[in-house]
Amino acid sequence: MRSAKDFFTPLAVGAPTPLREVPARPSRMIHFFDPSNPKMASKVPQLVGSVDVLLGNLEDAVKAENKEAARAGLVEIARSTDVGEHTQLWTRVNSLDSPWVLDDLTTLVTEVGDRLDVVMVPKVQGPEDIHYVDRLLAQLEARAGLTRPILVHAILETARGVANVEAIAGASPRMQGISLGPADLAADRRMKTTRVGGGHPGYLVRQDPVAGDISGERATYQQDLWHYTIARMVDACAMHGIFPYYGPFGDIADVVACEDQFRNAFLLGCVGTWTLHPAQITIAKRVFSPSAEDVAHARRVRAAMGDGTGAVMLDGKMEDDASLKQCLVILELADRLSANDPELAELYASPTTAGGEADA
Ligand SMILES: CC(C)(COP(=O)(O)OP(=O)(O)OC[C@H]1O[C@@H](n2cnc3c(N)ncnc32)[C@H](O)[C@@H]1OP(=O)(O)O)[C@@H](O)C(=O)NCCC(=O)NCCSC(=O)C[C@](C)(O)C(=O)O
Ligand SMILES: [Mg+2]
């Protein structure tokens, strides 16, 4: 581990100075596209402004024979697309043991590094993987004359990665966030699922027998396979001031279960998710933006709590310093999102939402 005094020193002469705080830009949906797929790539300009993050994917889901075309396609898209102020451009490079990653990083940083906000690194095993990328990025940034550091996002998709998640989160000031990679993680852990994210009907608990009758009717409750990993990832990220994300939900047609999975992640502390198909974008936007009701309630609590200390009763419930802090999380997020999104600004300013303060 680097000493605290060296932590914010550039890792190469001429590389930009690392950031002390990760910018809290909206990233409710990280929208994946394959830059080697002409139909998908042609949709990119119209997605600008309607997604928070556009991610040119170079890793899994891009055929081996298309890896170079995907890299070249992303360079072309980065050069020719003005993503504006409200959409970020990210990439997911190939894994560090693959034959493609060195060229992915070298080409992207030197050709379009000034356009790239974040590099997502798959299958991160421990802090040593982040240290490698950190130094290489610094060298390439120096070569390219970049003035702003490119940030790094790790995907949690191996058992060793999960065991090291705290060290990964704190490995570099470049760390922007971490996403769950449920498909590779399931395989690496030898879980017996065959899906990309989401639940499984076999993972359940069953009601006790009623009056000892084990053959009688008993309710079952499906459990969340990902709760442990997401909760641990959220803590690791919060501890290091970076952002946690749910990952992919592969059952594109099941928009209901997708919304449930996204909402569980939102409630547990994730700031966003991946969207693999245009149909998932509106779901992510709905779920990862606080509801008008929650914003209204948070404003009422803030108004009722005065200087923020003590305890008050509101609608039969006790509110105090700690419930106010939760409300402030909602209000800060609502303010940040509505600064970029007039529709949300209007929703949060509507009489029912804004009027809460007066009722308190
Ligand atoms: C699921 C697929 C095959 C269905 O693709 P499709 O063509 O069958 O879908 P469609 O419903 O027919 O598409 C309708 C229209 O939308 C377009 N379209 C479709 N998708 C997109 C998109 N993403 N962005 C922009 N446009 C898109 C598509 O081209 C088509 O255009 P058209 O109307 O002109 O014909 C397709 O959506 C796709 O390939 N999505 C991206 C998949 C991906 O990136 N997977 C990797 C991330 S998950 C992962 O890696 C796991 C992880 C973390 O590593 C781990 O857990 O281990
Ligand atoms: Mg994967």
Side-chain angles (χ1 to χ4, degrees):
M1 211 173 103
R2 272 184 278 167
S3 83
K5 71 180 172 38
D6 293 338
F7 197 64
F8 293 99
T9 307
L11 288 176
V13 174
T17 303
L19 301 181
R20 288 196 171 252
E21 202 165 323
V22 182
R25 298 180 66 185
S27 48
R28 293 163 293 179
M29 67 298 285
I30 302 169
H31 185 72
F32 270 58
F33 67 94
D34 172 354
S36 74
N37 176 324
K39 252 179 32 177
M40 242 190 248
S42 71
K43 302 275 188 312
V44 167
Q46 69 211 52
L47 289 169
V48 170
S50 64
V51 297
D52 294 334
V53 177
L54 274 165
L55 181 144
N57 176 34
L58 307 184
E59 201 225 6
D60 292 358
V62 175
K63 283 180 89 58
E65 70 215 41
N66 292 341
K67 293 290 185 187
E68 282 170 24
R71 189 190 301 137
L74 182 55
V75 168
E76 172 54 28
I77 287 168
R79 281 199 179 125
S80 60
T81 314
D82 177 4
V83 296
E85 264 179 68
H86 302 323
T87 298
Q88 302 176 56
L89 184 64
W90 295 17
T91 185
R92 176 171 77 169
V93 294
N94 284 286
S95 61
L96 297 180
D97 59 356
S98 75
W100 303 291
V101 65
L102 188 58
D103 288 336
D104 290 346
L105 288 167
T106 307
T107 304
L108 290 172
V109 178
T110 53
E111 305 268 325
V112 289
D114 56 332
R115 307 262 170 145
L116 271 185
D117 294 289
V118 174
V119 170
M120 190 181 266
V121 182
K123 303 176 177 73
V124 171
Q125 300 272 18
E128 66 281 5
D129 288 343
I130 303 300
H131 296 158
Y132 167 76
V133 173
D134 200 6
R135 179 79 71 174
L136 182 56
L137 283 177
Q139 292 167 340
L140 293 169
E141 286 168 342
R143 178 184 287 181
L146 300 186
T147 52
R148 176 190 61 131
I150 295 171
L151 301 183
V152 168
H153 183 112
I155 317 179
L156 217 50
E157 43 189 353
T158 66
R160 191 150 88 78
V162 176
N164 288 327
V165 65
E166 292 83 6
I168 292 169
S172 159
R174 278 187 205 277
M175 283 300 297
Q176 178 275 342
I178 303 182
S179 290
L180 173 74
D184 269 299
L185 181 56
D188 192 65
R189 282 176 170 164
R190 305 187 67 75
M191 290 167 68
K192 304 303 180 294
T193 51
T194 53
R195 304 164 170 213
V196 178
H200 192 288
Y203 192 69
L204 50 81
V205 293
R206 188 177 300 270
Q207 183 193 9
D208 275 4
V210 179
D213 175 14
I214 56 167
S215 55
E217 236 352 68
R218 286 193 274 165
T220 59
Y221 308 91
Q222 197 173 320
Q223 305 293 294
D224 183 357
L225 284 169
W226 303 110
H227 179 269
Y228 154 74
T229 314
I230 294 178
R232 193 163 165 197
M233 175 181 78
V234 166
D235 282 346
C237 289
M239 176 167 98
H240 287 285
I242 69 172
F243 300 110
Y245 299 77
Y246 179 71
F249 190 88
D251 191 344
I252 307 290
D254 192 350
V255 290
V256 176
C258 174
E259 178 154 350
D260 292 337
Q261 182 77 71
F262 286 1
R263 184 160 289 106
N264 286 349
F266 174 67
L267 287 169
L268 272 181
C270 290
V271 301
T273 184
W274 301 10
T275 53
L276 304 185
H277 186 277
Q280 295 182 335
I281 295 172
T282 44
I283 304 174
K285 183 172 175 185
R286 181 162 63 242
V287 170
F288 287 92
S289 311
S291 68
E293 294 71 29
D294 280 350
V295 172
H297 173 74
R299 286 186 177 142
R300 289 187 66 213
V301 173
R302 182 174 61 186
M305 278 295 294
D307 75 351
T309 63
V312 295
M313 286 291 280
L314 205 59
D315 304 332
K317 298 191 180 87
M318 189 276 294
E319 306 288 350
D320 69 358
D321 315 47
S323 63
L324 173 63
K325 283 181 197 153
Q326 294 170 66
C327 291
L328 295 179
V329 169
I330 301 276
L331 293 177
E332 190 203 333
L333 178 59
D335 283 349
R336 193 179 319 127
L337 296 176
S338 46
N340 287 356
D341 184 334
E343 248 175 61
L344 275 183
E346 197 181 326
L347 179 71
Y348 296 150
S350 74
T352 35
T353 319
E357 215 133 352
D359 299 346

